[in-house]
Amino acid sequence: MGVRSLGNSIASFGYKFGTTGTEASGAPGGGGSNISATGGNQTSSSGFTAPNGFKYHVFTSSGSLVVASGSGEAYYLVVAGGGSGGYGNGAGGGAGGLRSNDPTVPGPSSMKVTHTFTLSPGTYPVTVGDGGTSPTDNGSESKIGTSTVVASGGGWGGDNKAGNPGGSGGGGTSGDASSVNSPDPLSPDKQGHAGGNDGNGGGGGGAGGAAGPNGEGGAKLNISAYNTTQINPGISMPTEWKAYVGTNGGYAGGGYGHDDNPNSHNQAAGSTDQGIVNTGGGGDEGPGIDGGKGIVIIRYQ
């Protein structure tokens, strides 16, 4: 059993003459041939079967997916860490970039990538990015392999200045920040949306939409296959995470800026005064809240 060479950009586009574990595998549908794999938190470990019949590997921190035997198509959700919020009358941090090849990504959507991801025996390194640390820190990238699937960290929210670009852009007080081009070779290269520009603190961009006009953070992107119903109770996740993701499967909302209505936040702070972990949400504004740590989830039948 060897480490899969996932940094080969040619193979990532379905190059038919190489064997890297990411080549095209025929008709879609998440089909597998008796895949036996370990790594991350697994829904099957507690005897729980997801309602949709898939097995889930949920990485809340970096590790590896190790396929012992079998092969088949898999789907993924890769979310980077969110950017930190600004201090004082500051702006919200941008959500971490989001990458998914899953058919349940809502359409029409520019966020779904065209990529057939085939598992076969070997080791697949997984990196889960941390959220940015307040006051001005981008989130860290999450990825599968070295360059095959890479989500960029969210941009930090500005404090009396423009926000920073990222997977989704941070909000600003003197200029908004856009999302960045994807570092991986997959198409489309869009991973998030722009932050807002508001003199009193704009919101951060989200995976589901750009920041609003009055400090509202950009919307989360809801992907139903990764909701709490499919993952819980097979995998024990924090209460705040379950409330954030919910039955809609929402990830990577932008942090709110100073002018936002406090009753409509896309990224409320966690109990430890930081972004909710494993959501990729941008940090809220002042006193400047850290962005939420990212997450990587791989599923197959």
Side-chain angles (χ1 to χ4, degrees):
M1 179 172 63
V3 176
R4 312 305 289 173
S5 177
L6 294 179
N8 187 332
S9 60
I10 296 177
S12 301
F13 281 98
Y15 183 60
K16 296 181 179 179
F17 304 102
T19 305
T20 68
T22 61
E23 63 274 11
S25 65
S33 178
N34 298 317
I35 293 175
S36 175
T38 58
N41 302 309
Q42 303 166 58
T43 51
S44 61
S45 297
S46 61
F48 172 77
T49 300
N52 60 17
F54 279 68
K55 180 179 178 180
Y56 286 73
H57 293 259
V58 178
F59 290 86
T60 56
S61 58
S62 298
S64 293
L65 177 73
V66 181
V67 179
S69 61
S71 63
E73 184 179 353
Y75 301 126
Y76 54 78
L77 171 67
V78 178
V79 183
S84 66
Y87 270 110
N89 295 342
L98 184 151
R99 301 298 259 167
S100 181
N101 68 341
D102 205 282
T104 66
V105 174
S109 173
S110 59
M111 299 297 295
K112 180 181 175 182
V113 298
T114 302
H115 181 207
T116 300
F117 181 57
T118 303
L119 296 176
S120 58
T123 299
Y124 299 77
V126 171
T127 301
V128 177
D130 290 327
T133 303
S134 178
T136 53
D137 188 22
N138 275 22
S140 299
E141 66 184 21
S142 292
K143 56 188 176 182
I144 300 174
T146 56
S147 60
T148 303
V149 183
V150 184
S152 299
W156 47 258
D159 176 14
N160 297 318
K161 56 182 175 290
N164 207 44
S168 280
T173 55
S174 58
D176 60 352
S178 62
S179 57
V180 299
N181 291 331
S182 175
D184 65 33
L186 304 179
S187 178
D189 64 4
K190 186 179 182 65
Q191 295 198 1
H193 294 82
N197 179 13
D198 189 311
N200 293 316
N214 298 306
E216 300 96 343
K220 297 180 281 188
L221 184 66
N222 296 322
I223 309 177
S224 62
Y226 303 92
N227 67 17
T228 54
T229 302
Q230 304 299 337
I231 294 172
N232 183 64
I235 296 172
S236 178
M237 298 295 286
T239 299
E240 290 171 340
W241 180 91
K242 289 185 284 188
Y244 185 96
V245 173
T247 57
N248 291 324
Y251 295 84
Y256 72 87
H258 180 69
D259 278 352
D260 188 21
N261 178 349
N263 296 317
S264 61
H265 299 158
N266 286 298
Q267 169 58 34
S271 59
T272 57
D273 199 31
Q274 63 183 13
I276 298 171
V277 296
N278 302 128
T279 66
D284 297 331
E285 64 91 22
I289 294 174
D290 297 350
K293 187 176 183 177
I295 194 167
V296 173
I297 304 175
I298 298 172
R299 72 183 187 108
Y300 52 84
Q301 287 183 328

